[in-house]
Amino acid sequence: MAAVRYACRDGWRLIVRHWGMSLLTIFTAMSVFFIIGASTLFVLNVKNIVSSLENQLTIQAYLKPKADAKATEKAIKELPFVKETKLITRDMALERLRSRIGEQAKAVMLLGENPLPESFEIKVKNVSQVAETARLLIAIPEVEDIVYAGRVAEKLARVSSFVEKFSIIMLLVAIAASGVVLFNTIRISVYSREEEIGVMMMVGATSTYVALPFVIQGFILGITGALFASLLLGGTYYSAVTRLKEMLPFIPLIESTRLTGKLAFMLICCGATVSLISSLMAVEKFIRKASKPL
Amino acid sequence: MEIKFSGVTKIFQPDIIALEDIYFQMEKGDFVYLVGETGSGKTTLLRCITREVVPTRGQISVGGNLLRKINRFNLALFRRDIGVVFQSFLLLPNLTAFENVAFVLEVMGLPPREISDRVSEVLKLVGIWRRRNLFPPQLSGGEQQRLSIARAIVSGPSLLLADEPTGNLDNHTADEIMQLILGINAAGTTVIMATHNEYIVDTYTHRVVEIHRGRIVRDEEQGRYELHGSC
Ligand SMILES: Nc1ncnc2c1ncn2[C@@H]1O[C@H](COP(=O)(O)OP(=O)(O)O)[C@@H](O)[C@H]1O
Ligand SMILES: [Mg+2]
């Protein structure tokens, strides 16, 4: 018990004595865990968008310029899964465009005539029918093109899976980098006490006793870095979400505090693990060398 | 603690024979002077006992422990029962005299109250209680020597290894140090003292083991200092 108290006091002393190095280590750990957290949030959000897009039951079918809207509507209504259809006239389309991009929509009118095609908004009953309905719609001669969320989602999903793979590699590199920095910091403080450790081992200190202050030092540095990263990330993320929501209200962003809380918890655990492992490795390596008899 | 060397040879890289075919035995509570010229192997022999040095050949057993076999944890426990007065003191310059001694007991995990009691007691015993808050560089040679003895005996070890504990001290101070060590021996601690001090060896006569070029060339009860190996 006294040993643990001694080790905590000593771990703290080590941090204070090498304060420049400690700050640098905390800063590195913080940057690494911030990057890890930020890319996790990015991937989670993309996934969230993908799944919300996939769940949209609407298909937009654009008509050829000379197509007969009435006849087309009839053809569409005969398709098996169609629940409802709604005609979007050229004027309505222009109106929508205007509400989305504002005054710039006027540019479209510079050509003289409204160039937007007529279209139908088609709803199906459930998600599994979207792709099949899309295939049938494109077969209708009057239909020029179709757009549905699933198709966007597919593309987005492909991007997201690439980002995911890439960020996993990045994460491993980042974690390794923070591990190396922690390892070196601990090694430097171990060497700064080489003499003391030598005497300690001569008077019968166990390896655990020798190692503990350094492990505590590393642990505090790693945890502090991860904690700061979580706070910074939380602040940045929520202010970014608030702004994005004003700018792009139709994009569903994750706002659940439970999820971000979990992420912070994960980051801190990760910081604890990395710092424990790297400081243990640094001290153990030294002790093994120091306790090797001549 | 009983000690037994059987055919111990230590060769340092590449080919320095520091100890050669040492047979040596002592019983619990014994007192032995280890004499021999500089470089004869006295320090190496002491370091074999603390297992800082592992012999190239031969077996060493100390207090029933076969040192070749001992693991890291048991070595730590084993060393707690040995007090060492190093030739170069090895005091920690950034700790006070008091802390240098308390350190040993902290390592053993004793409660703070007991540590402070025992350290105070031993600092009074070696006569540097009034200097307890000074750092080693602020102490005289004799005081540093006393401090390193205090550190060696504070845990009440069964074995005391003293490597030239009166080196560089005048006869008067050497006498006082010697009184201390003899007192510790009288209380039951086994003592091996490597020394160059002819005056001490001839005044406080005990068993003398002489090493010459890594070999034991003399081992006599109530011996005198005069080196035989060199003639
Ligand atoms: N770590 C070492 N590496 C190489 N040679 C050593 C080492 N320690 C001692 N020696 C050599 O072993 C011999 C005995 O040294 P030592 O035991 O220190 O003698 P003493 O203490 O009697 O003066 C010397 O020749 C010394 O140079
Ligand atoms: Mg020597």
Side-chain angles (χ1 to χ4, degrees):
Chain A
M1 208 45 233
V4 173
R5 195 144 26 91
Y6 156 83
C8 290
R9 185 191 70 194
D10 221 39
W12 178 248
R13 269 192 201 159
L14 283 166
I15 291 174
V16 175
R17 189 161 87 187
H18 305 277
W19 62 271
M21 213 172 58
S22 302
L23 282 181
L24 204 65
T25 310
I26 291 176
F27 184 75
T28 312
M30 185 177 97
S31 315
V32 165
F33 289 112
F34 184 83
I35 295 170
I36 293 173
S39 39
T40 310
L41 278 175
F42 181 77
V43 169
L44 288 177
N45 268 301
V46 171
K47 282 194 159 169
N48 189 42
I49 293 168
V50 167
S51 76
S52 84
L53 286 178
E54 275 168 355
N55 284 325
Q56 281 176 21
L57 303 175
T58 312
I59 303 171
Q60 199 89 21
Y62 293 95
L63 304 189
K64 286 180 178 158
K66 302 250 163 56
D68 175 359
K70 277 263 151 50
T72 315
E73 182 163 21
K74 196 160 162 274
I76 292 172
K77 283 210 156 126
E78 275 166 10
L79 296 179
F81 308 121
V82 173
K83 202 172 86 183
E84 60 179 84
T85 60
K86 183 181 172 199
L87 177 67
I88 310 291
T89 64
R90 296 171 166 209
D91 290 344
M92 286 160 77
L94 186 63
E95 198 48 48
R96 279 189 180 187
L97 187 64
R98 194 172 281 150
S99 76
R100 206 149 77 200
I101 65 175
E103 283 309 296
Q104 282 158 359
K106 275 199 183 121
V108 178
M109 297 299 286
L110 286 178
L111 299 169
E113 198 184 332
N114 177 359
L116 300 174
E118 276 184 324
S119 64
F120 280 103
E121 238 176 52
I122 299 136
K123 281 217 159 77
V124 295
K125 288 195 196 78
N126 67 57
V127 186
S128 60
Q129 299 160 350
V130 174
E132 171 71 1
T133 310
R135 211 171 48 74
L136 294 170
L137 278 170
I138 200 79
I140 296 174
E142 287 87 347
V143 173
E144 177 153 79
D145 194 14
I146 57 165
V147 169
Y148 63 99
R151 213 151 136 198
V152 180
E154 251 170 54
K155 280 188 191 150
L156 209 51
R158 235 174 293 146
V159 174
S160 128
S161 98
F162 172 75
V163 170
E164 209 172 318
K165 271 178 213 142
F166 183 72
S167 59
I168 284 173
I169 295 170
M170 283 289 297
L171 294 197
L172 292 180
V173 172
I175 288 181
S178 75
V180 168
V181 171
L182 273 157
F183 180 90
N184 268 312
T185 303
I186 300 307
R187 207 180 54 161
I188 290 168
S189 34
V190 170
Y191 274 94
S192 78
R193 288 205 166 179
E194 202 174 354
E195 197 190 0
E196 199 172 334
I197 294 177
V199 178
M200 272 180 158
M201 305 220 314
M202 273 311 299
V203 301
T206 59
S207 317
T208 318
Y209 183 84
V210 173
L212 208 54
F214 299 100
V215 173
I216 289 175
Q217 178 199 12
F219 185 74
I220 292 177
L221 294 179
I223 279 264
T224 311
L227 195 71
F228 283 169
S230 304
L231 292 175
L232 187 66
L233 188 67
T236 321
Y237 182 69
Y238 282 103
S239 76
V241 164
T242 321
R243 249 188 257 155
L244 277 173
K245 254 173 47 184
E246 276 167 22
M247 279 160 38
L248 309 163
F250 45 89
I251 293 186
L253 292 169
I254 297 170
E255 280 182 275
S256 136
T257 46
R258 255 191 62 201
L259 192 98
T260 46
K262 252 190 210 162
L263 182 64
F265 181 71
M266 189 198 85
L267 287 182
I268 290 167
C269 288
C270 195
T273 315
V274 171
S275 59
L276 277 181
I277 291 175
S278 44
S279 37
L280 267 175
M281 274 167 58
V283 196
E284 169 61 26
K285 201 173 157 204
F286 181 88
I287 291 179
R288 192 156 349 124
K289 207 184 92 194
S291 61
K292 204 174 162 212
L294 287 169
Chain B
M1 251 202 270
E2 64 285 359
I3 297 172
K4 191 174 178 190
F5 278 55
S6 328
V8 170
T9 295
K10 178 62 189 181
I11 303 171
F12 284 114
Q13 300 296 342
D15 58 355
I16 302 163
I17 302 171
L19 293 176
E20 195 174 355
D21 205 27
I22 301 281
Y23 286 88
F24 166 73
Q25 197 160 346
M26 64 192 289
E27 301 305 322
K28 196 164 173 289
D30 283 2
F31 188 109
V32 170
Y33 287 119
L34 204 56
V35 301
E37 56 199 28
T38 301
S40 56
K42 302 182 297 296
T43 299
T44 304
L45 191 146
L46 295 181
R47 295 178 88 190
C48 281
I49 296 174
T50 54
R51 202 179 171 273
E52 283 169 276
V53 170
V54 167
T56 312
R57 282 190 295 275
Q59 293 293 338
I60 301 170
S61 133
V62 182
N65 298 287
L66 270 181
L67 296 195
R68 202 176 277 287
K69 299 256 170 65
I70 201 164
N71 66 26
R72 209 156 85 176
F73 183 73
N74 286 328
L75 179 64
L77 299 186
F78 166 71
R79 283 179 176 170
R80 291 179 186 188
D81 207 18
I82 303 178
V84 185
V85 179
F86 299 95
Q87 196 168 358
S88 50
F89 306 153
L90 287 185
L91 297 167
L92 298 171
N94 52 344
L95 299 185
T96 64
F98 189 96
E99 289 165 344
N100 260 285
V101 179
F103 181 77
V104 177
L105 301 180
E106 279 177 1
V107 160
M108 299 181 183
L110 263 58
R113 172 69 56 77
E114 194 179 338
I115 291 179
S116 113
D117 288 351
R118 283 172 69 168
V119 174
S120 306
E121 191 186 330
V122 77
L123 287 179
K124 282 171 190 159
L125 178 71
V126 301
I128 52 169
W129 169 245
R130 283 184 309 137
R131 314 285 274 164
R132 65 186 176 282
N133 291 323
L134 298 181
F135 293 89
Q138 299 172 303
L139 300 174
S140 72
E143 287 167 337
Q144 290 189 30
Q145 193 62 270
R146 287 161 196 269
L147 180 55
S148 71
I149 292 174
R151 184 180 62 188
I153 63 175
V154 70
S155 62
S158 316
L159 173 63
L160 179 68
L161 306 177
D163 200 353
E164 307 197 15
T166 60
N168 304 321
L169 297 182
D170 58 79
N171 279 355
H172 174 68
T173 317
D175 272 325
E176 286 178 354
I177 298 284
M178 203 51 211
Q179 294 300 341
L180 257 171
I181 293 176
L182 288 173
I184 293 155
N185 177 239
T189 300
T190 312
V191 177
I192 306 181
M193 175 169 158
T195 186
H196 272 136
N197 195 319
E198 182 167 1
Y199 162 74
I200 290 290
V201 176
D202 290 345
T203 308
Y204 308 92
T205 51
H206 273 292
R207 176 178 167 195
V208 173
V209 171
E210 180 183 342
I211 307 187
H212 180 67
R213 294 190 184 155
R215 288 178 162 276
I216 291 184
V217 293
R218 174 164 66 112
D219 185 347
E220 54 182 346
E221 295 298 330
Q222 309 298 317
R224 298 193 49 89
Y225 178 77
E226 192 190 344
L227 299 181
H228 293 199
S230 37
C231 30

